[in-house]
């Protein structure tokens, strides 16, 4: 920092302190549904940073240890609308016994566990950014943290979140693999489809003439089904086939399950209908039948390029001298669920790589930049709303 430059909150982010905090948080073993260690840590630390805490009861819906945490910190200027930062407290697999290895500026595990950068890196960055905001003395609006549980199995904590406990309407979620500067404006609609194909069970040697193989019916349906990349904004997949009892039995039923994602609700519905129709045709013309169940996973979101969240993110990235870039994703995130419940938010990249694997890593540069960008966002949000 040049001596004549005005000090900003991002410059108060302490790189060593943030790295140490990330490693401390990553070692807290808290896989999905078992987030107590992280929740206990936050119960201790967040009040010291001026937050009041509330937990909801979401975990009672899925037998988890603890609910979602909503934490609130007053701003220096109550006129500025509150800004939230969200992430999930769980990791996809345990991180017990994590031994971090730092090589050439990149943090890894020793290859026997995940690192948990998804998404402890975001949590560490938020805490350090708030310390930086406090230490810098910059004016700011109220800050809310929405920290979900049980995200990895399918955004479950966010789905059961008690939204009456949240006070802010706009925010950011750092939870994507792009380098810091990535701004994700658009996420997909997603639904699951379950197709129960019914034929007729029979023994190959005793009453084969009564048999109608559900597996063969399903196979014909699947061979007529458009799957994979349907167009530039729609994906379809069959991920589960379950059925059959014995090698000597002609199978009477088989379950086929898949998923469709699309930026367009119309295209999502059209693809689901296509999957249902080709399966019904295949079964129907061969004397079988199909029962279809469609289950919404989440709705899409689409934040306008001129939204104040985007403007603020662009400006904050400029402040910390990273290049902002706008993207979209066909991946699902809490962002989908929060937007569905009226909280306007977008996903930001923090540069973790190979997540959900033992090769997971994050560069120290991206980790520190996540802290710096969070601090800059809080400061810029205030600048864009003061005197408004
Ligand atoms: Zn994540």
């Amino acid at each position: 920092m040049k001596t004549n430059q005005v000090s900003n909150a991002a410059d108060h982010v302490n790189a060593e302190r943030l790295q140490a905090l990330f490693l401390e948080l990553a070692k807290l073993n808290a896989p999905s549904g078992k987030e107590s260690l992280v929740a206990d840590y936050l119960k201790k630390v967040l009040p010291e940073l001026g937050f009041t805490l509330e937990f909801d009861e979401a975990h009672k819906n899925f037998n988890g240890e603890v609910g979602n945490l909503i934490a609130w910190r007053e701003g220096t200027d109550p006129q500025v609308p509150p800004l939230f930062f969200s992430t999930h407290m769980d990791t996809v697999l345990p991180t017990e016994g994590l031994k971090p290895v730092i090589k050439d500026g990149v943090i890894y595990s020793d290859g026997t566990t995940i690192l948990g950068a998804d998404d402890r890196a975001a949590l560490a960055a938020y805490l350090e950014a708030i310390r930086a905001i406090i230490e810098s003395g910059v004016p700011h609006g109220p800050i809310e943290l929405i920290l979900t549980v049980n995200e990895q199995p399918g955004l479950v904590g966010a789905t059961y979140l008690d939204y009456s406990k949240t006070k802010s309407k706009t925010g950011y979620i750092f939870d994507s693999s792009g380098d810091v500067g990535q701004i994700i404006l658009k996420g997909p609609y997603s639904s699951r489809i379950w197709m129960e194909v019914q034929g007729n069970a029979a023994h190959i040697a005793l009453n084969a003439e009564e048999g109608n193989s559900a597996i063969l019916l399903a196979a014909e349906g699947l061979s007529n089904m458009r799957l994979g990349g349907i167009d530039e904004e729609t994906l379809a997949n069959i991920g589960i086939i379950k059925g059959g009892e014995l090698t000597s039995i002609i199978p009477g039923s088989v379950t086929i399950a898949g998923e469709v994602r699309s930026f367009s609700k119309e295209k999502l519905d059209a693809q689901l209908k296509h999957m249902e129709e080709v399966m019904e045709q295949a079964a129907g013309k061969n004397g079988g039948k199909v029962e279809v169940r469609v289950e919404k996973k989440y709705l899409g979101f689409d934040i306008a390029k001129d939204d104040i969240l985007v403007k603020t993110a662009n400006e904050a990235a400029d402040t910390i001298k990273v290049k902002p870039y706008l993207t979209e994703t066909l991946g699902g995130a809490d962002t989908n669920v929060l937007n569905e419940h009226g909280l306007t938010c977008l996903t930001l990249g923090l540069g973790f790589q190979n997540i959900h694997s033992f090769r997971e890593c994050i560069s120290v540069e991206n980790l520190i930049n996540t802290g710096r960008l969070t601090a800059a966002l809080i400061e810029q949000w205030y600048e864009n709303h003061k005197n408004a």
Side-chain angles (χ1 to χ4, degrees):
M1 191 174 73
K2 284 188 229 130
T3 47
N4 62 349
Q5 207 175 337
V6 179
S7 171
N8 58 44
D11 287 337
H12 285 261
V13 166
N14 181 319
E16 282 106 73
R17 191 169 62 182
L18 173 48
Q19 185 176 315
L21 176 59
F22 165 63
L23 295 178
E24 184 182 0
L25 289 175
K27 285 175 189 166
L28 297 177
N29 185 39
S32 303
K34 301 191 171 72
E35 296 88 357
S36 288
L37 286 180
V38 173
D40 289 347
Y41 180 93
L42 293 168
K43 271 188 229 167
K44 185 165 64 77
V45 167
L46 284 176
E48 293 167 9
L49 294 173
F51 282 88
T52 49
L53 275 62
E54 253 196 296
F55 285 88
D56 73 9
E57 310 265 272
H59 60 301
K60 294 189 173 161
N61 294 286
F62 45 82
N63 208 13
E65 284 181 353
V66 64
N68 300 298
L69 170 56
I70 296 112
W72 176 265
R73 187 181 196 281
E74 295 295 344
T76 59
D77 183 347
Q79 301 305 319
V80 170
L83 183 64
F84 76 79
F85 290 88
S86 177
T87 179
H88 52 90
M89 292 191 267
D90 59 326
T91 53
V92 71
L93 291 167
T95 57
E96 196 165 20
L98 170 67
K99 290 178 201 67
V101 176
I102 304 173
K103 211 178 121 196
D104 301 328
V106 179
I107 310 172
Y108 304 84
S109 73
D110 66 355
T112 64
T113 65
I114 57 165
L115 177 64
D118 172 20
D119 205 14
R120 298 292 160 68
L123 185 56
Y126 297 167
L127 297 179
E128 174 57 30
I130 286 151
R131 288 201 174 104
I133 291 287
I134 295 169
E135 288 173 9
S136 68
V138 296
H140 59 89
I143 302 165
E144 192 164 49
L145 296 176
I146 300 175
L147 305 176
T148 63
V149 291
N150 210 10
E151 187 263 5
Q152 299 282 11
L155 320 176
V156 186
T159 302
Y160 289 109
L161 197 140
D162 181 353
Y163 288 88
S164 72
K165 293 191 187 302
T166 63
K167 296 195 191 84
S168 41
K169 285 279 164 236
T170 40
Y172 297 100
I173 303 182
F174 280 89
D175 197 3
S176 182
S177 59
D179 284 329
V180 174
Q182 182 193 31
I183 301 168
I184 299 179
L185 300 181
K186 211 169 168 184
Y189 294 81
S190 178
S191 289
R192 293 192 183 100
I193 181 166
W194 301 85
M195 292 170 281
E196 186 90 34
V197 182
Q198 298 287 342
N200 209 19
H203 190 284
I204 42 168
L206 298 179
N207 58 341
E209 65 288 351
E210 290 170 28
N212 186 7
S213 168
I215 288 180
L216 292 180
L217 300 179
E220 187 177 330
L222 288 175
S223 68
N224 293 329
M225 201 176 278
R226 287 192 299 274
L227 293 169
I230 305 302
D231 57 42
E232 63 290 340
E233 53 179 10
T234 309
L235 297 173
N237 181 54
I238 293 293
I240 297 171
I241 297 183
K242 273 186 190 156
E245 294 161 66
L246 293 169
T247 53
S248 57
I249 302 285
I250 296 167
S253 72
V254 62
T255 300
I256 310 284
E259 174 165 330
V260 181
R261 296 185 186 195
S262 181
F263 290 129
S264 152
K265 177 79 169 66
E266 290 70 35
K267 287 181 176 176
L268 178 101
D269 291 340
Q271 173 63 21
L272 290 165
K273 191 152 183 283
H274 159 74
M275 293 166 85
E276 180 173 346
E277 277 173 2
V278 294
M279 195 57 84
E280 269 169 358
Q281 276 163 15
K285 79 173 199 230
N286 297 300
K289 56 183 199 302
V290 188
E291 255 174 55
V292 176
R293 183 166 58 88
V294 170
E295 173 195 15
K296 182 198 81 174
K297 270 185 86 181
Y298 43 77
L299 301 184
F301 66 91
D302 189 1
I303 309 292
K305 283 195 178 76
D306 60 358
D307 192 282
I308 186 69
L309 279 171
V310 184
K311 173 176 149 57
T312 303
N314 273 310
E315 291 165 342
D318 287 340
T319 302
I320 66 157
K321 300 193 167 49
V322 300
K323 204 173 158 39
Y325 57 105
L326 303 181
T327 66
E328 51 193 37
T329 178
L330 278 163
D334 275 353
T335 319
N336 294 72
V337 183
L338 267 53
N339 273 291
E340 187 179 336
H341 286 88
L343 304 184
T344 307
C345 54
L346 47 78
T347 309
L348 298 171
L350 72 165
F352 49 41
Q353 297 296 321
N354 306 324
I355 57 166
H356 303 187
S357 85
F358 291 176
R359 294 177 298 116
E360 184 182 10
C361 61
I362 186 168
S363 70
V364 173
E365 185 184 7
N366 268 315
L367 174 65
I368 305 310
N369 277 340
T370 306
R372 288 173 57 79
L373 185 56
T374 304
L377 286 167
I378 295 169
E379 192 171 12
Q380 190 65 50
W381 186 258
Y382 170 81
E383 291 300 321
N384 288 344
H385 289 90
K386 66 177 180 185
N387 315 321

